[in-house]
Amino acid sequence: MNDKAVIMKKEIRAVAYYQALIISKGLLSILLLLMSLYLGLLRFPMSPLYVLLFLNALPFVISYASKEYSKKNQNRILLELVKDDPFLLSTLKKKYKYTKLRYMSNSVSYLFSLFLIGLWQYSYRIHYYIPDNLQNIPVLFLSSSLLVRLIGIIFYQWKLPYDLSHNKL
């Protein structure tokens, strides 16, 4: 394969991973919002609300901090993260709003949120007053989010080359 084809495949893979992450993050946000409303009505701890806040606020904080810190200190690692490489498939990048910094910040917030969901599950396991029907909700959210991300990656790695070859972008 020539170099352009390898670069294009790498770009398609990056956009597919990013889009699957965004869809999984959206599903997890909706689930956490609904569960926090339900738990609020039942007067239980509002753990899902805090996870939801971290999931959606942390990418903006990371992006802003990375941009500002890289300007001030000229850190080589942060400069590489903030600087976007030119894409051969620029229409694909524009359509899905992909940037390396946006992908990294959303990935970090997603992983941190998964860790917080694990802590939420641990908290539910050690408290005696949580009903049995609510004890496995965090694991259900975690597994459904990871499953949607995996299916999304597979789907977009198939869909994006198909759309490119049939001029559907």
Side-chain angles (χ1 to χ4, degrees):
M1 257 195 275
N2 61 15
D3 291 339
K4 278 190 173 183
V6 171
I7 292 171
M8 290 170 112
K9 284 188 178 195
K10 194 180 282 188
E11 291 173 357
I12 288 170
R13 189 177 321 117
V15 173
Y17 285 6
Y18 175 71
Q19 192 61 25
L21 173 68
I22 295 300
I23 290 170
S24 178
K25 182 181 163 189
L27 172 75
L28 189 58
S29 294
I30 290 169
L31 292 173
L32 289 171
L33 179 66
L34 293 175
M35 184 51 69
S36 64
L37 291 173
Y38 179 69
L39 290 177
L41 290 174
L42 295 178
R43 306 254 189 237
F44 283 113
M46 295 294 290
S47 302
L49 182 64
Y50 305 130
V51 176
L52 178 67
L53 290 175
F54 271 105
L55 180 65
N56 291 313
L58 199 58
F60 298 113
V61 172
I62 291 173
S63 296
Y64 180 74
S66 298
K67 287 178 186 176
E68 291 299 315
Y69 192 73
S70 68
K71 286 179 188 175
K72 288 182 183 177
N73 294 346
Q74 299 298 320
N75 188 344
R76 196 183 89 191
I77 296 171
L78 284 177
L79 286 174
E80 284 295 319
L81 183 66
V82 171
K83 181 188 78 162
D84 260 345
D85 298 329
F87 255 49
L88 290 176
L89 304 170
S90 60
T91 55
L92 190 68
K93 182 179 177 180
K94 287 178 188 173
K95 180 179 180 181
Y96 292 105
K97 298 175 184 149
Y98 172 82
T99 62
K100 192 176 3 175
L101 180 62
R102 193 177 280 169
Y103 177 68
M104 189 276 313
S105 61
N106 279 309
S107 292
V108 168
S109 73
Y110 184 76
L111 288 174
F112 189 67
S113 297
L114 293 181
F115 175 72
L116 290 176
I117 290 172
L119 289 178
W120 176 28
Q121 176 66 45
Y122 176 73
S123 170
Y124 271 18
R125 286 289 175 198
I126 62 171
H127 290 104
Y128 63 91
Y129 59 86
I130 303 294
D132 289 338
N133 62 343
L134 293 178
Q135 280 193 350
N136 293 326
I137 293 293
V139 169
L140 181 67
F141 286 1
L142 188 101
S143 59
S144 64
S145 176
L146 290 174
L147 183 66
V148 165
R149 186 165 182 194
L150 177 67
I151 291 170
I153 289 170
I154 293 168
F155 173 74
Y156 276 102
Q157 282 188 345
W158 171 81
K159 180 188 182 300
L160 294 176
Y162 179 82
D163 286 351
L164 286 170
S165 66
H166 288 88
N167 241 0
K168 292 187 178 185
L169 287 179

